[in-house]
Amino acid sequence: MNNRRKFLKQASSALAIGAVAPAMAHENAATPKAQEDLFKLGIAGYSFVHFKLDQALEMMRKVDVHYLCIKDFHLPFNSTDEQIAAFHATLKASNVTGYAVGPIYMKTTQEIDNGFEYAKRVGVKLIVGVPNEELLPYIDKKVKEYDMRYAIHIHGPDIKLWPNASSVINAVKNLDPRMGLCFDMGHDARFGDDPIADLKKYADRIFDIHLKNVTAASKEGKTCELGRGIIDVPAFVAMLRKIKYSGSCSLEYEKDMKDPLAGIAESVGYFKGVCQASRK
């Protein structure tokens, strides 16, 4: 906890740079930049479930985040090639890149076929999925066929299917190495596990991270602003660097979902502040 307080104090001094005044960083281009991290900050599309794409992109612009995990309510599975091209053009106009699709629930082989073909047409190489366990051998074939990574999303103690990191790793460890984990750190903590230890332990199979903090390490724990929960975010960031994680850390903000901007902005600013204040 002492380490956390130290980082919190450091992070507070960097929040202005992390979120309050992102434009100032561009205005002072002559100022030497700190070493950039390998990982990227994004937002999980589910954070915007109550908003149209243009509204979601406006919020992303306000908090200066440029990577999005695409959900089907913004880009439906049956989208035409023309609609997909228009979608990407809309993202590009907001300086946003869609880097993955999902989570996609998959209960049949047909749904798996549809999901992989959808990802191919969208032009991404990562699917975040929630498959039935008996379908994993079929997914193993698909990742080989499409040369695509498949990250299984965990959901904590709310459902029996994929509750924590170890449940996924134990199921895919003998399958294609492109099958791995979308590590929802909040749900992992709600299950009672240590997300920092799991990040280190399962680093090779973590393809995506849903950045989240929660109020308690139990089923009763709820999503909260990133700096206010029970997970030691500075220690998590330190571990991201130690394992040389190079994927996305996408904020999945599930509090005040019909009015999330304030909480998203606070969480993004806190994360950027922690990253900046702790760089050596």
Side-chain angles (χ1 to χ4, degrees):
M1 291 304 293
N2 288 336
N3 183 51
R4 186 182 182 195
R5 292 192 189 98
K6 176 183 176 183
F7 272 103
L8 286 171
K9 184 176 180 180
Q10 292 174 324
S12 64
S13 66
L15 282 174
I17 299 173
V20 176
M24 292 180 65
H26 301 291
E27 294 171 3
N28 296 297
T31 303
K33 288 186 176 181
Q35 181 66 39
E36 293 293 329
D37 283 305
L38 296 175
F39 53 85
K40 302 178 291 291
L41 176 61
I43 296 185
Y46 184 67
S47 302
F48 302 125
V49 65
H50 296 294
F51 298 90
K52 295 180 180 179
L53 179 63
D54 60 342
Q55 296 171 309
L57 293 175
E58 175 65 10
M59 283 187 268
M60 293 184 69
R61 185 193 67 77
K62 288 180 176 178
V63 299
D64 196 27
V65 174
H66 304 284
Y67 296 91
L68 177 69
C69 187
I70 301 166
K71 277 293 290 178
D72 57 283
F73 49 71
H74 285 150
L75 185 63
F77 295 131
N78 61 355
S79 296
T80 65
D81 290 344
E82 291 75 16
Q83 288 169 327
I84 292 172
F87 175 87
H88 284 306
T90 299
L91 263 59
K92 185 177 181 180
S94 293
N95 196 21
V96 170
T97 298
Y99 73 89
V101 294
I104 303 174
Y105 286 78
M106 298 177 176
K107 298 181 179 181
T108 66
T109 56
Q110 185 61 59
E111 289 177 342
I112 293 170
D113 289 344
N114 294 344
F116 273 85
E117 192 59 28
Y118 171 71
K120 179 182 178 180
R121 293 195 305 116
V122 173
V124 297
K125 299 294 287 185
L126 174 64
I127 297 173
V128 179
V130 187
N132 282 11
E133 187 167 1
E134 68 272 12
L135 296 173
L136 293 185
Y138 190 73
I139 295 171
D140 184 77
K141 295 178 182 178
K142 286 293 178 180
V143 299
K144 292 179 172 68
E145 177 184 346
Y146 283 79
D147 186 23
M148 193 172 292
R149 293 189 300 169
Y150 189 95
I152 298 175
H153 186 279
I154 60 176
H155 282 91
D158 298 315
I159 59 177
K160 292 183 178 180
L161 185 63
W162 315 123
N164 62 345
S166 62
S167 67
V168 173
I169 300 303
N170 289 337
V172 304
K173 61 185 179 182
N174 295 321
L175 299 175
D176 192 285
R178 286 165 289 195
M179 293 179 66
L181 174 65
C182 174
F183 186 48
D184 188 309
M185 57 195 281
H187 285 321
D188 200 57
R190 290 177 64 244
F191 191 76
D193 290 348
D194 181 343
I196 298 166
D198 283 349
L199 176 62
K200 179 181 180 181
K201 186 176 181 180
Y202 303 127
D204 290 345
R205 292 275 191 161
I206 293 177
F207 303 151
D208 194 29
I209 291 174
H210 278 183
L211 198 61
K212 186 182 296 179
N213 215 330
V214 291
T215 57
S218 66
K219 187 175 183 178
E220 290 69 37
K222 305 296 183 184
T223 300
C224 61
E225 292 81 0
L226 198 61
R228 303 192 194 189
I230 54 119
I231 299 174
D232 187 343
V233 176
F236 193 86
V237 169
M239 186 57 69
L240 288 172
R241 291 170 176 157
K242 184 174 182 178
I243 67 172
K244 295 180 170 56
Y245 178 69
S246 60
S248 292
C249 295
S250 285
L251 178 70
E252 188 173 42
Y253 191 71
E254 296 175 305
K255 179 184 177 185
D256 304 322
M257 294 195 76
K258 292 188 177 181
D259 188 21
L261 181 56
I264 289 174
E266 179 181 330
S267 298
V268 167
Y270 174 77
F271 186 76
K272 288 185 177 183
V274 166
C275 289
Q276 179 153 337
S278 58
R279 288 192 185 111
K280 296 180 180 179

